Amino acid sequence: MSQVPLITLNNGVEIPQLGFGVFQIEPRDTKEAVLAALETGYRHIDTAEMYGNEKEVGQAIRESGLDRNDIFVTSKLNNGYHAYGDALAAFARSLDDLGLEKLDLFLIHWPLPKVGDFTETWKAMEEIYRSGRSRAIGVSNFNPHHLNRLLQETEVVPAVNQIEVHPYLTQEDVRAFNAEHEIATEAWSPIAKGKVLNDPVIAEVAERVGRTPAQVTLRWHLQRGDIIFPKSVTRSRMEENFRLFDFELSEEDLAVIAALDRGERTGPDPDTFNYVPQ
Ligand code: NDP
């Protein structure tokens, strides 16, 4: 029995709170990395068409010998496919590349506010959901004003909103909006790609509780209730990032880490990011 808690999404589907992210893992390294993660105990993989490694994620799932139903798989709709028909076709390609009959979660990767109309995209997501080919659907990088449009103009409430969150960007407003609408928050770049690991406050807590800065930061996310999927191609770090269930942070430690917030993004701002690959 895994120690990783399950979070129940707003449609009853359960997702492991700790998973493994594969952004910036080269396709040639992906199968090995995902196999190592599955051996370590991770049962939730976060990929995207944009990452270019869905095929290799699928190969690892098949070669792992694990039951497909025991692994939670998320992928995301790339920015060039927001038109209704394009979204349906892109989803079919993702399934095909992964070699899966269905996904556990499919997300709109970015809202692209100036490019098109993401409510049309969401209607394609709703069709995918109703067809049973994705057990849940959600969004990524949506701010409350984007979500408000979906809530007003479409039917299915997103199961998750995957946003950048870490001690330097705590996103309390978006997390509160998500919670109010029963949308689970997934925190991407949970250790800010390593940038928070040398922070003296985090280092002090880590030293005191006898854990590494990465473990303290990841545990902080878990105790706040967010879903995380740290990325590493280094096996010892994959194992380190998985050992989070035999210690606890005090309320005071949670608060001092949250107080490190300085609104610092490692990635694009969803309100201005409109990049579409040609
Ligand atoms: P992370 O915050 O997970 O950091 C990954 C980096 O930290 C890598 O360079 C890794 O190095 C290093 N690292 C990992 N563990 C440790 C450790 N224990 N000690 C020291 N260094 C460590 O960043 P990501 O941007 O990868 O975010 C995680 C996942 O979130 C992605 O893989 C992706 O699935 C998702 N994501 C989603 C986005 C979206 O727009 N929806 C955007 C960005 C990410 P190494 O690999 O060399 O070991």
Side-chain angles (χ1 to χ4, degrees), residues 21-23 46 51 76 109-110 140-141 162 188-194 197 214 229-234 237 240-241:
V22 299
F23 178 42
D46 184 90
Y51 305 166
K76 314 186 191 85
H109 208 144
W110 288 91
S140 180
N141 301 301
Q162 182 177 128
W188 63 254
S189 293
I191 56 172
K193 300 194 190 309
L197 301 183
F229 21 83
K231 169 265 178 187
S232 180
V233 291
T234 317
R237 288 174 172 173
E240 174 186 338
N241 297 346

Side-chain angles (χ1 to χ4, degrees), residues 94-244:
S94 278
L95 272 190
D96 202 42
D97 283 348
L98 283 155
L100 299 176
E101 280 173 21
K102 65 164 82 163
L103 281 187
D104 296 288
L105 180 61
F106 193 53
L107 307 179
I108 300 181
H109 208 144
W110 288 91
L112 306 178
K114 294 199 187 67
V115 170
D117 182 355
F118 53 76
T119 59
E120 175 188 330
T121 320
W122 187 250
K123 287 177 185 161
M125 301 292 280
E126 291 179 328
E127 181 170 326
I128 289 164
Y129 178 55
R130 293 199 181 102
S131 76
R133 289 172 303 152
S134 187
R135 295 172 64 225
I137 51 172
V139 294
S140 180
N141 301 301
F142 273 48
N143 280 329
H145 68 98
H146 303 124
L147 283 168
N148 265 330
R149 276 202 63 201
L150 289 190
L151 295 173
Q152 278 157 22
E153 296 175 35
T154 66
E155 287 172 19
V156 178
V157 177
V160 314
N161 184 16
Q162 182 177 128
I163 54 173
E164 181 176 353
V165 187
H166 44 71
Y168 291 162
L169 184 74
T170 57
Q171 296 259 43
E172 306 307 351
D173 50 345
V174 186
R175 292 175 68 253
F177 184 95
N178 290 344
E180 188 189 332
H181 294 89
E182 297 188 326
I183 299 168
T185 297
E186 295 193 328
W188 63 254
S189 293
I191 56 172
K193 300 194 190 309
K195 287 196 189 89
V196 299
L197 301 183
N198 293 321
D199 187 279
V201 170
I202 294 174
E204 187 280 317
V205 176
E207 169 115 26
R208 184 158 36 74
V209 301
R211 301 289 162 156
T212 66
Q215 288 173 323
V216 163
T217 307
L218 295 171
R219 180 76 207 180
W220 173 80
H221 284 282
L222 294 180
Q223 287 185 224
R224 279 156 56 93
D226 291 354
I227 299 159
I228 51 171
F229 21 83
K231 169 265 178 187
S232 180
V233 291
T234 317
R235 195 166 182 131
S236 58
R237 288 174 172 173
M238 283 179 204
E239 291 169 357
E240 174 186 338
N241 297 346
F242 198 73
R243 280 197 305 274
L244 305 178

Side-chain angles (χ1 to χ4, degrees), residues 221-277:
H221 284 282
L222 294 180
Q223 287 185 224
R224 279 156 56 93
D226 291 354
I227 299 159
I228 51 171
F229 21 83
K231 169 265 178 187
S232 180
V233 291
T234 317
R235 195 166 182 131
S236 58
R237 288 174 172 173
M238 283 179 204
E239 291 169 357
E240 174 186 338
N241 297 346
F242 198 73
R243 280 197 305 274
L244 305 178
F245 304 104
D246 56 353
F247 74 108
E248 209 165 335
L249 299 175
S250 66
E251 288 298 322
E252 200 186 342
D253 286 340
L254 295 179
V256 294
I257 296 170
L260 296 173
D261 181 37
R262 52 195 200 202
E264 186 176 303
R265 293 183 183 276
T266 66
D269 182 337
D271 279 332
T272 53
F273 184 66
N274 286 294
Y275 174 73
V276 176

